[in-house]
Amino acid sequence: MTVVSSGSAEDLVRAKAVLLDPGVGKRRLGPEALRTALVDLHDFWLASRCAAIGLNEKASLVAVGALGRRELAPYSDLDLVLLHDGRQDVDRLADQLWYPLWDAGIGLDHSVRTPGQAVQVAATDLRAAFGLLELRHIAGDPALSDKVSTAVRQAWRAGIRNRFDELADAAHARWTKVGDVAHRVEPDLKNGHGGLRDIQLIDALAAAQLVDRPAGDVLEARRLLLDVRTELHRISGRARDVLRAQEADEVATTLEIADRFELARALSGAARSVAFAAEVGLRQARGALPRRGLAALRRAPVRRPLDTGVVEHAGEVTLARDAAAARDPALVLRVAATAARTGLPVAAGTLHRLADTAPELREPWPRAALGELLSLLGTGRPLVDVVESLDRTGLWGRLFPEWGAVRDLPPRDRAHVWTVDRHLVEVTAQAARLTTRVARPDLLLVGSLLHDIGKGRGGDHSVVGESLAVQVGRRLGFSEPDVDVLGAMVRHHLLLPHTATRRDLDDPATVTRVVETLETAVPGAGSLLLELLEALAEADSLGTGPGVWSPWKRVLIGDLVRRCRALLAGEPLPAPSAPSAPELDLARAVVDDGRPQLRVDDTVDPATVLVAMADRVGSLAATAGVLALHSLEVHAAELYAVSAHGGGLPASVPDGVAMFAFTVSPRFGGLPDPALMRSDLVRTIDGSLVLADALARKERDYAPMAPSGEPAAPPRVLWFDDEATGAVVLELRATDRIGLLHRVAAALEDCSADLRWARVATLGASVVDSFCIDAGDAGVLPAQRRRIEQAVLAAAR
């Protein structure tokens, strides 16, 4: 360390640079060793500097914040407090300490305090109080540092009753603003719910002697959070708390974790441990607050019976004195169901007692245990927090050993905002609102809980999940016919949404295939399975993320279900709908005027744009481009042709009229003027408006940036064959951008792909667009398929 003995802050910066990049062929320090080295380096420089300027009697330098906790990341600011007790030259000491650090470009948060001022600021500023509770002596008079540390801690303990509400409100406000570390795609490792600030919160409550110091699982979580934050600083070259997707793979590599998904899983588990400990800590601390005055004379809270073996005590659900899990196999689930039903948290001591004493349920479960499980699942939103508390204490995994593979498993696509296990609980909470729509609410709730249980094991998660659902259903005590339905729900939970968005619902073969699948899966129970799958499709979408359950998706699935019910009942399928009067009016106007026609229906939300034009190559691309040019986001699109024969149009129009119905909403502001849109569509058709140039300018000026600069996910094309008609369906999954539908439609039309229909779904920042291509007599040959796919992918990029 002699490299910094001269007191030059530039030497400190150079020594720090060597620690971060030791040079070619030299071993790089791991994150924990790097933090230790950085702390030692700064301690040594600061102590040397203090000795050089004469900081000794009646003055001391203490570290708070990251340096005080020995958690210094590479680009953390230095939080320093110069304490003094009557030194007249304190301003000189401060200048000689702070200015070299500023001149060297080192981030510095500093203050100068007397002992009384330190205690006063800790009493009025929570953030300052947290820092001073963790102060660490660096140099100067150690007795002065100890004096301030002792005074601050005594004042903190003495005043905690009056400050507790402020502390709890600040924590909840931060959680609401920043969100969960466990479930954010780009988590804030420091400020998020379950982040490093929550560990400081637990430490502060422990300093007030209200709770114990953090347990082992929280300390392990702290180490991982610190390691990730340390590597994030090192990789990004600056102070960063938010882990972005493009940096996560490199962070994972340096920590010897397989990839960013495994890193996300590890972070999720760590953050959930911290979040649970912080929430429990706040509840325990509130109950442990010292009582004064008349409050000290009040009787202790009474125990109010809630259910068999379950009581309320001090605002928490706890066990009755004579309750014993060994004698009452349904007790764990009864406690959970009662907590969800009443909205009261389960006491931490009760959870740990049950975790220690509750035996595994025998197979099949007693009927009472299944009843309590269904009661729990049927509570809706309160279910989420209760399952979280059971899972954090090992009780949920004891009930469902299959849960281990999906616990903290991150999603693989950006439409999902939750880890897989949390998604299952969120979907079940959504399904609880739909139980009155189905004949078997019990099967809906359990099927929702298990529908993605096959993920994380390799292979098709629906197929793997079916066998697991059968296994769980038998263990819960369902009858064999019910177990078959549960297995079929999990196996086919994507049947309705995938069919509705990838197939032509006017084609009888589409409906027949769905009905045959249902009847084959559970002979004689096709109607029941259809009803359950419809509700599950809605709950699954609502529990995935915002915008996934769109009006477009609801209408498509509803239409498919109605057709399937008709076929199951032996009724004839509805004939393809004839063009409506407004559609025919627009089509006739195309014939009369010779130019495209456009109408906006803003009586529905989202609005509908109906377009009619001569059916020619490039019509879909032109229309989609004009909508994008007018800042309309397309949520859904349908295309079809109004025939000259049988459509009410003159036979002199051999190619008919192309009709497009777009479900749209403005990206900002209100809906554009239909006359201006029609004018631009006419100009596009006659060539006076070059859409490619106009859209390029639009995208350059108005395209939203990806969050925190996150790179767009690479587009992907999937193919689905329609055996009944010979057509094929191309499905594009890509990141949304202005004019994407225009570019993809143009690519398909350039490849001479004969489109039967197209459906578009925008899911937040992503799109799932389906295009049905008429294969003709020869079918779409592999070479043609590759050419189309390459063109579509190039357009999507």
Side-chain angles (χ1 to χ4, degrees), residues 719-776:
W719 292 91
F720 303 92
D721 293 305
D722 189 338
E723 301 86 351
T725 63
V728 295
V729 176
L730 180 150
E731 181 179 284
L732 170 67
R733 302 180 182 180
T735 299
D736 193 18
R737 55 184 291 200
I738 292 175
L740 175 62
L741 180 59
H742 159 75
R743 293 180 177 88
V744 173
L748 289 169
E749 290 167 333
D750 287 345
C751 292
S752 301
D754 185 6
L755 294 181
R756 287 189 174 187
W757 50 261
R759 297 197 178 101
V760 180
T762 303
L763 310 175
S766 304
V767 294
V768 180
D769 297 349
S770 300
F771 303 88
C772 183
I773 302 172
D774 193 337

Side-chain angles (χ1 to χ4, degrees), residues 42 130 153 218 245 265 426 435 462 485 491 542 547 685 734 747 783:
H42 287 84
F130 275 32
R153 286 177 171 270
V218 175
R265 187 170 195 175
E426 289 282 339
T435 51
S462 297
V485 173
R491 173 67 178 270
L542 291 170
I685 296 301

Side-chain angles (χ1 to χ4, degrees), residues 105 135 205 209 231 248 262 285 334 442 465 502 538 598 603 639:
L135 74 80
L205 295 174
Q209 298 180 345
E231 292 303 331
E262 286 302 313
R334 190 179 309 115
D442 54 341
R502 294 171 177 167
E538 179 174 343
L598 182 146
T603 62
L639 67 91

Side-chain angles (χ1 to χ4, degrees), residues 398-417:
R398 192 177 304 173
L399 294 169
F400 297 99
E402 299 82 1
W403 206 256
V406 297
R407 182 178 292 110
D408 299 315
L409 185 66
R412 294 281 173 160
D413 63 80
R414 292 192 296 171
H416 283 76
V417 300

Side-chain angles (χ1 to χ4, degrees), residues 150-369:
T150 301
V152 167
R153 286 177 171 270
Q154 287 176 344
W156 176 252
R157 287 194 293 271
I160 190 61
R161 180 174 183 81
N162 296 327
R163 308 191 66 181
F164 183 80
D165 287 342
E166 178 191 3
L167 182 150
D169 290 346
H172 285 104
R174 173 169 53 83
W175 296 343
T176 300
K177 178 181 179 181
V178 182
D180 292 317
V181 174
H183 303 299
R184 288 278 182 176
V185 175
E186 295 185 336
D188 188 325
L189 305 170
K190 182 177 180 180
N191 301 294
H193 189 197
L196 292 166
R197 282 211 187 279
D198 282 348
I199 301 176
Q200 292 176 249
L201 171 64
I202 299 170
D203 285 336
L205 295 174
Q209 298 180 345
L210 298 177
V211 300
D212 294 331
R213 286 288 179 182
D217 60 335
V218 175
L219 296 179
E220 285 296 321
R222 169 184 170 274
R223 186 175 295 109
L224 176 63
L225 289 165
L226 284 172
D227 286 353
V228 174
R229 185 169 181 256
T230 299
E231 292 303 331
L232 178 59
H233 277 218
R234 179 151 51 182
I235 288 166
S236 61
R238 56 194 177 98
R240 290 282 304 282
D241 296 318
V242 176
L243 178 63
R244 300 188 302 181
Q246 66 265 36
E247 293 154 341
D249 274 320
E250 191 172 351
V251 170
T253 299
T254 60
L255 296 179
E256 298 183 348
I257 297 174
D259 55 27
R260 63 187 174 96
F261 295 105
E262 286 302 313
L263 174 61
R265 187 170 195 175
L267 276 176
S268 177
R272 287 163 83 167
S273 294
V274 173
F276 180 67
E279 292 169 4
V280 171
L282 283 174
R283 292 203 307 271
Q284 289 180 334
R286 186 179 293 278
L289 287 173
R291 295 189 292 173
R292 295 177 180 172
L294 294 177
L297 302 178
R298 292 176 188 156
R299 297 176 59 187
V302 299
R303 299 167 68 86
R304 180 169 65 94
L306 297 174
D307 205 331
T308 304
V310 185
V311 299
E312 175 196 352
H313 178 71
E316 294 182 322
V317 173
T318 186
L319 296 178
R321 290 186 175 90
D322 60 349
R327 299 193 307 267
D328 186 352
L331 184 59
V332 171
L333 287 162
R334 190 179 309 115
V335 167
T338 302
R341 191 169 56 249
T342 61
L344 299 172
V346 183
T350 296
L351 289 168
H352 292 302
R353 178 180 167 187
L354 290 171
D356 291 339
T357 63
E360 291 188 13
L361 292 174
R362 68 176 187 272
E363 185 176 338
W365 282 12
R367 184 169 295 276

Side-chain angles (χ1 to χ4, degrees), residues 553-767:
K553 194 171 186 179
R554 181 180 64 247
V555 169
L556 286 179
I557 290 179
D559 187 18
L560 174 59
V561 169
R562 281 191 296 274
R563 293 168 187 265
C564 290
R565 282 182 180 142
L567 190 58
L568 284 166
E571 300 172 2
L573 292 175
S577 57
S580 65
E583 292 169 343
L584 284 176
D585 289 344
L586 279 187
R588 293 190 185 99
V590 171
V591 176
D592 295 339
D593 186 67
R595 294 186 298 177
Q597 303 294 318
L598 182 146
R599 178 177 297 167
V600 176
D601 180 5
D602 59 1
T603 62
V604 293
D605 186 23
T608 299
V609 176
L610 191 63
V611 177
M613 59 195 308
D615 191 4
R616 65 183 71 177
V617 174
S619 55
L620 175 61
T623 307
V626 168
L627 295 182
L629 196 59
H630 285 265
S631 301
L632 288 177
E633 181 177 358
V634 176
H635 302 292
E638 295 285 342
L639 67 91
Y640 45 95
V642 178
S643 172
H645 307 284
L649 300 180
S652 59
V653 188
D655 293 332
V657 175
M659 302 289 300
F660 307 104
F662 295 90
T663 301
V664 301
S665 61
R667 291 183 182 270
F668 43 81
L671 290 167
D673 185 347
L676 291 178
M677 286 195 290
R678 178 176 181 267
S679 173
D680 282 345
L681 186 55
V682 171
R683 291 170 57 212
T684 299
I685 296 301
D686 65 24
S688 60
L689 174 62
V690 181
L691 270 181
D693 294 344
L695 285 171
R697 291 193 298 271
K698 182 84 172 182
E699 186 167 28
R700 183 176 60 250
D701 295 338
Y702 295 104
M705 296 296 293
S708 304
E710 179 184 352
R716 183 184 179 196
V717 165
L718 302 175
W719 292 91
F720 303 92
D721 293 305
D722 189 338
E723 301 86 351
T725 63
V728 295
V729 176
L730 180 150
E731 181 179 284
L732 170 67
R733 302 180 182 180
T735 299
D736 193 18
R737 55 184 291 200
I738 292 175
L740 175 62
L741 180 59
H742 159 75
R743 293 180 177 88
V744 173
L748 289 169
E749 290 167 333
D750 287 345
C751 292
S752 301
D754 185 6
L755 294 181
R756 287 189 174 187
W757 50 261
R759 297 197 178 101
V760 180
T762 303
L763 310 175
S766 304
V767 294

